[in-house]
Amino acid sequence: MSYLPKRLNTATGSLLVLAALPAAVNAGLLGSLLGTSSEPTSSTPTTQTASNAKGSFSLPFAEPTIIVDGQVVETDEKCITRNDGMDECKPAAGTMALLKDGRLLYLNALEGTENVELSIVAEFGEVSVNDQTRVLSLDANDNPTWLKPSPLDAGANPDGNDSTTLLNGTIFDGLIDTADNTSKNDGALFCSDVIGLANGNVMAVGGTDYYSEPGIDGLPLGAAELEGIKNSRIFDPETNTWTQSGDMHFGRWYPSLVTLGNGNVFVASGVTKLLKPVYPEDPINSGRNVAQTETYNPCTQTWTLNPSTADRTFPLYPRMHLLPNGHVFYNAGGQAFNPFGQGYDQALWNITASYNPATQRWTDIGYAGLPLRLDEVGLGQLGSTLNVSNISLAQTTSFLGDVLSAPETLIESGLDLGVSDETLQMAIAGGMRGSTSSTMLPLKPNANGEYTDIELLTAGGVPSYGVLTNPGGYLPTAQSRIDRISTNGDQIDYESRLTGPLNQPRWYGTNVLMPDGSVTVFSGGDRDGVVGPGLEGPIRTAERFDPETGTLTEMATGHRARTYHNTAVLMEDGRVMVAGHSPINTAYLTFVDLQGLGLAPYDGRDPSFEIYTPPYAMRNDRPQIQRAPSSLTIGNRFNIKVDQADQIDKALLIRRTVMTHLIDGDQRAIELNLVKGPGNKITLTMPNNHNVVPAGEYMLFVSKNTPEGRVPSEAAPITVVNTSLACMAPVMASTDVVSADGIIESTLDIL
């Protein structure tokens, strides 16, 4: 059996090539920047020779088999055609998570796109299927093996979903849609968000119910609908199984999750129906994304709908972070499409804001990237007051009271903006930034050992150009900025500054926090591949952001083009697993591959992986953590045993990455207070606040400074325990002892 990619007829394909040619020429892409179709694919990653200053990428490797018509077929091809003429394909890592045992869980994206013959808009409601999951393991020699979890598709809605169709609940239900004709695509993991729970399990929330509306059963054409589902499902690494948890109150496609300090999970945004957001039973929520927020209790496995004061309008996949004071901060970033703008209240997406879980209320902070503080001029409740689902006399009265009591007017505040070059640059690219990473830089203790401030890196993405918000511009920016948020109790200060730009504008770059304190940006494209799928040029060269200098440096170049649905995850040894590329069909039609023009490959999803080895991981003088506790909680002081102890001057506790669509709201690194002890011992101190270090699975790295740069160790696994979260708190390790002065010390060496 062999795989032949499906194509449009010659005439249609030629039209697409001609349409793409001017864009390719204008971008200087002719000459084939890729040549990726000829790259070898191996089942074993091998490192190629590269400059130690830039690091290197292994050769691509992929799962070696496909099950077709009940038979296991070993093949280097992406797909094989079944007896019924449909293609069976290897899954691509559109979502990826580092498990507590070092393995990698990944979820497919857009499964079934290879079977689109004419138009994904017309056909995908019928040819789509639920996405597969896999677990990838590497042995000591980097030999990969794959395991198939059970159920393979995580098991949501096996009997079908009660779809929110236009005629749902009426006697005409099903007359103009195909929502009830199959259950094979009613519980797709595509466009769910994922998060690591306190006990090391991974939870996927939301996802996709595909159908045609309008559409008629038995006919292959209609108008596809992607509906967000209410499901929550949990993957247990101990058993490699998925189980269903409590459902949300709203179906959500493209939601965002963030862990609160008490271990609960906060969800915001998503859309219930992507293409036709009309809800006859709930007209007030028609025409926009889900404004209502919910909170998940992992002990009861239930979702609670927050009050209307917790409602807020967001872009899809809003970029959110937990602050040291327990608030959730929205950094005015998200996915800038629905696909071409359907939120009537989307102007409010430009405003950064914080959510206080104690009061369950949002406060507007300011226009993203500008020194315009709304909360200081009485407009902190502007967004909440304009939210149609929160209209009330109490809310309006509260807002007017804030305005009247403000110490200065909005106009006076605006006079302070100035007209410097930097201010103008920030204004042009201010507001909501689409398809960008928002990455929390390492948290550092102040002179009192407290963690009060954070800094967020926003690099690249598609600006809204100060006015537009959705879809914003088509071309990405190279501009990068740092947003600094300082907390003092519930008081929040916010300021932005420009930092060094990317070396080239980048759409959909994935940021990874590294154990040397830097951030590495992977993959993406030079144009928005959702506005014009198949017409973006890929960016394969990684860039390294140095927080100390504020500059970005080009690093090694990967082998495969990875634009839409790319992923990258830090591993325990300090290397990065890079994967993904699950594009929408070319021009929303079928796959027409234009990579010969220097554009991204559009011949289907890419199931391959590459391992990026940074320069520090090529050295033979890396420090080693020889002994460390396996579990800790807030406030603990603990000893670790290391070699080169006299050179160690920094320790970073990095949360294990659980990433989809560029984001992991929980991605964070905490710099621990460090005191050198006698011999090869170092004493470290945990933060005293779970808002800084939420319970869950982490990796502890120590590092030394050298003339060539900071050199970190490999990681020691650490479970951070919240003793108040009894249902998910593992028993503290019996191999640990506590000294008379309260210092925890492990008695077992790390093998």
Side-chain angles (χ1 to χ4, degrees), residues 6 20 57 59 70 97 121 124 262 277 288 317 345 412 447 450 554 580 586 594 597-598 647 697 724 732:
K6 290 180 170 59
F57 282 84
L59 289 175
V121 175
F124 207 51
N262 62 2
R288 63 175 183 165
Y317 277 129
D345 49 9
E412 290 171 344
E450 299 172 336
E554 288 191 327
T586 310
L594 304 175
L597 299 176
Q647 301 179 60
E697 298 297 329
S724 299
M732 302 290 277

Side-chain angles (χ1 to χ4, degrees), residues 401-545:
D402 289 345
V403 172
L404 294 174
S405 62
E408 57 185 326
T409 69
L410 181 61
I411 295 177
E412 290 171 344
S413 176
L415 294 176
D416 295 332
L417 291 179
V419 289
S420 67
D421 289 344
E422 179 169 317
T423 300
L424 289 174
Q425 290 181 50
M426 295 182 72
I428 291 172
M432 206 281 287
R433 188 79 66 86
S435 299
T436 184
S437 292
S438 176
T439 305
M440 186 185 296
L441 300 178
L443 287 87
K444 299 180 179 181
N446 60 22
N448 298 321
E450 299 172 336
Y451 300 81
T452 58
D453 301 346
I454 71 164
E455 291 193 328
L456 302 173
L457 171 67
T458 297
V462 182
S464 58
Y465 300 114
V467 179
L468 303 172
T469 54
N470 189 356
Y474 172 50
L475 298 176
T477 180
Q479 188 201 82
S480 302
R481 75 169 190 260
I482 300 290
D483 298 312
R484 183 178 181 85
I485 299 95
S486 301
T487 64
N488 182 11
D490 289 336
Q491 177 64 37
I492 293 175
D493 289 327
Y494 169 80
E495 61 182 20
S496 293
R497 68 181 187 273
L498 291 181
T499 190
L502 292 160
N503 287 274
Q504 65 182 113
R506 189 183 298 247
W507 168 80
Y508 214 78
T510 294
N511 290 3
V512 176
L513 268 172
M514 307 294 281
D516 63 353
S518 66
V519 176
T520 304
V521 188
F522 295 94
S523 306
D526 64 0
R527 289 184 295 280
D528 191 319
V530 172
V531 174
L535 304 182
E536 76 272 19
I539 300 176
R540 296 182 294 135
T541 300
E543 297 193 42
R544 178 183 183 271
F545 175 75

Side-chain angles (χ1 to χ4, degrees), residues 119-199:
S119 165
I120 191 172
V121 175
E123 298 173 50
F124 207 51
E126 304 307 303
V127 304
S128 55
V129 293
N130 289 343
D131 305 290
Q132 300 178 61
T133 63
R134 292 287 192 275
V135 175
L136 168 63
S137 303
L138 296 178
D139 67 13
N141 296 315
D142 281 345
N143 296 308
T145 55
W146 282 263
L147 178 148
K148 295 179 180 179
S150 178
L152 201 61
D153 65 356
N157 304 325
D159 300 320
N161 184 47
D162 184 13
S163 307
T164 309
T165 59
L166 292 173
L167 300 179
N168 188 40
T170 72
I171 59 174
F172 302 107
D173 189 9
L175 183 63
I176 62 170
D177 64 77
T178 65
D180 297 327
N181 71 344
T182 179
S183 59
K184 68 177 183 179
N185 56 8
D186 283 4
L189 284 159
F190 176 61
C191 294
S192 60
D193 194 18
V194 289
I195 198 165
L197 297 177
N199 62 356

Side-chain angles (χ1 to χ4, degrees), residues 248 302 335:
M248 296 179 291
T302 56
Q335 294 310 116

Side-chain angles (χ1 to χ4, degrees), residues 120 227 246 279 284 389 475 642 726:
I120 191 172
E227 178 176 327
Y279 316 116
I284 200 171
S389 60
L475 298 176
V642 299

Side-chain angles (χ1 to χ4, degrees), residues 66-125:
I66 305 177
I67 297 179
V68 184
D69 297 323
Q71 297 182 355
V72 178
V73 179
E74 188 167 340
T75 178
D76 289 335
E77 299 286 347
K78 297 178 181 179
C79 305
I80 292 180
T81 303
R82 302 190 310 238
N83 290 334
D84 62 2
M86 304 293 276
D87 290 329
E88 192 74 42
C89 303
K90 299 175 182 178
T95 296
M96 189 158 52
L98 181 69
L99 301 174
K100 59 185 177 182
D101 56 12
R103 298 179 302 157
L104 291 152
L105 170 71
Y106 66 96
L107 320 179
N108 199 13
L110 285 171
E111 184 148 0
T113 46
E114 291 85 357
N115 291 311
V116 171
E117 295 184 334
L118 295 174
S119 165
I120 191 172
V121 175
E123 298 173 50
F124 207 51

Side-chain angles (χ1 to χ4, degrees), residues 627-641 681-686 718 732-747:
R627 183 183 296 170
S630 59
S631 55
L632 296 163
T633 191
I634 53 174
N636 281 164
R637 296 174 66 212
F638 63 102
N639 281 337
I640 61 173
K641 176 183 175 183
K681 286 187 178 181
I682 291 177
T683 301
L684 303 173
T685 303
M686 289 284 288
I718 301 289
M732 302 290 277
S734 60
T735 56
D736 295 345
V737 297
V738 180
S739 64
D741 54 357
I743 297 178
I744 298 172
E745 189 161 2
S746 175
T747 60

